[in-house]
Amino acid sequence: MSSPTSLGIPAVPPPTSDPPWKAAWDDALYGAAGFFRRESPSAHFRTSVHASPLFARALVRLVREAGLDTLVDIGAGRGELLRAAHAIDPDLDLLAVEVAARPDDLPDGITWTTALPESVEGVVVANEWLDNIPCHVVEMAPDGVARMVHVDARTGTESLGHPLTHSSVPSSISAWVDRWWPLDPAEPGTRAEVGSSRDTAWADVVRRVTRGIAVTVDYGHMLESRPPFGSLRSYRDGGEVDVLPDGSRDVTAPVALDAVAERVAGTVLTQRAALARLGVVGARPPLETAASDPQGYLRALSSATEAGELTADGGLGDLLWVVSVVGEVPTTSLTG
């Protein structure tokens, strides 16, 4: 609590009537009329899945190297990853987990569910899923006290609520911030996106794997490089737009992936390194093959271009993979 005013009244703002960011964000994306219940993600932003079937090919290779036959995609969009995997290896058991309804044109070989499976023996992947798991936002107020941030979902106007030490604020929020995203009382306006909800969401996925490999892939940051003023973003129709949790657009924020990795005893790799281990490299084919096998050269050049996008510095190659091996699984190119 800050110092009293000259009238002896505590100078603490009353709690705002707007919801905390986490609640507004959750309703915007997953409520009854939420963005992901209505919209196809591929219409609004491009991920590794949309960039090239080489991404799916790498994951199919991982499944087979591990001696498994199941691939589960968490946050499957419209099934793009599993469609590509089915074309590569029709004998795989494929399960899409997504809040939206099953697309009418999805191949019969792909199972669709809106709920996480109770148990999985196979490879589970979540590509750019955790960044859309809503989380609380906190901010260092001018009085040197970290407070909850609330937001008007209609306008995006923010307000500060209770201190993290208030009895109504779960102690887990301040504990996570202290450990993973500490704020300096001398730097008002600095913010943290509280990743405990992401840690818990991915731990819940990993605990369902009875034997296999769990991989979450996302834009993220580590303790030494947190964005000082937060990183909330919105996208619509292929471009970045003003952040607004009204259901009209995506709301996302990069993930504190070191916290996720510690929670599930995972290993962190860049996408560049992970895909290289799985045979996806952007090297151009030898020029001399253009004369002896022009069609083969063009195919190899196209593949190299796609691999280059998936592994590019400053782009998709900077994505981070958190890899967890569960149970007795043969060593693979990725886990060796």
Side-chain angles (χ1 to χ4, degrees):
M1 183 176 292
S2 57
S3 301
T5 66
S6 59
L7 296 178
I9 301 173
V12 177
T16 174
S17 60
D18 292 324
W21 249 109
K22 184 175 183 291
W25 189 349
D26 185 71
D27 189 59
L29 297 188
Y30 305 108
F35 181 82
F36 284 125
R37 294 191 184 278
R38 309 185 326 272
E39 299 289 336
S40 172
S42 62
H44 299 277
F45 45 84
R46 182 177 174 84
T47 73
S48 299
V49 173
H50 311 123
S52 171
L54 292 175
F55 187 78
R57 186 172 297 279
L59 291 170
V60 169
R61 173 177 170 175
L62 178 62
V63 174
R64 291 310 192 187
E65 284 186 350
L68 301 166
D69 57 14
T70 299
L71 177 61
V72 180
D73 184 14
I74 309 293
R78 294 301 179 265
E80 293 90 346
L81 172 62
L82 298 186
R83 292 172 195 259
H86 182 66
I88 295 164
D89 189 341
D91 293 330
L92 282 178
D93 291 329
L94 303 172
L95 174 64
V97 182
E98 177 57 68
V99 296
R102 179 190 177 96
D104 292 337
D105 63 344
L106 197 72
D108 292 340
I110 301 172
T111 302
W112 191 271
T113 178
T114 59
L116 292 172
E118 287 299 317
S119 64
V120 175
E121 184 171 331
V123 170
V124 179
V125 63
N127 183 60
E128 297 193 41
W129 177 65
L130 284 182
D131 65 292
N132 288 126
I133 297 296
C135 57
H136 287 295
V137 179
V138 303
E139 181 173 315
M140 185 58 66
D143 60 3
V145 175
R147 298 178 181 275
M148 301 290 292
V149 181
H150 297 244
V151 62
D152 183 329
R154 297 165 301 171
T155 66
T157 301
E158 295 181 336
S159 53
L160 297 182
H162 284 306
L164 302 194
T165 54
H166 193 273
S167 60
S168 67
V169 179
S171 59
S172 59
I173 292 177
S174 60
W176 191 94
V177 171
D178 289 344
R179 170 67 179 89
W180 292 109
W181 201 325
L183 299 177
D184 187 344
E187 296 184 10
T190 53
R191 306 176 72 152
E193 288 127 13
V194 184
S196 52
S197 55
R198 281 108 177 254
D199 302 348
T200 298
W202 188 240
D204 183 44
V205 171
V206 174
R207 76 170 180 81
R208 297 168 187 268
V209 180
T210 56
R211 187 175 74 90
I213 301 171
V215 181
T216 185
V217 184
D218 233 307
Y219 287 104
H221 39 70
M222 310 298 271
L223 183 60
E224 64 275 9
S225 60
R226 305 283 190 233
F229 300 102
S231 56
L232 285 169
R233 298 287 187 273
S234 280
Y235 295 90
R236 185 174 61 193
D237 299 329
E240 187 170 354
V241 294
D242 291 340
V243 179
L244 187 63
D246 67 347
S248 68
R249 62 204 67 193
D250 177 34
V251 179
T252 179
V255 183
L257 284 165
D258 45 356
V260 174
E262 182 174 288
R263 181 71 175 269
V264 297
T267 300
V268 180
L269 300 167
T270 65
Q271 174 151 297
R272 187 176 309 105
L275 289 181
R277 293 186 185 187
L278 292 168
V280 179
V281 293
R284 293 173 63 91
L287 186 58
E288 56 268 22
T289 62
S292 60
D293 182 10
Q295 294 301 317
Y297 174 80
L298 290 175
R299 288 192 298 271
L301 184 61
S302 175
S303 179
T305 300
E306 293 177 7
E309 181 180 0
L310 289 173
T311 59
D313 289 328
L316 294 174
D318 292 342
L319 287 163
L320 296 175
W321 291 35
V322 176
V323 181
S324 301
V325 179
V326 181
E328 296 295 325
V329 178
T331 299
T332 70
S333 300
L334 183 62
T335 61

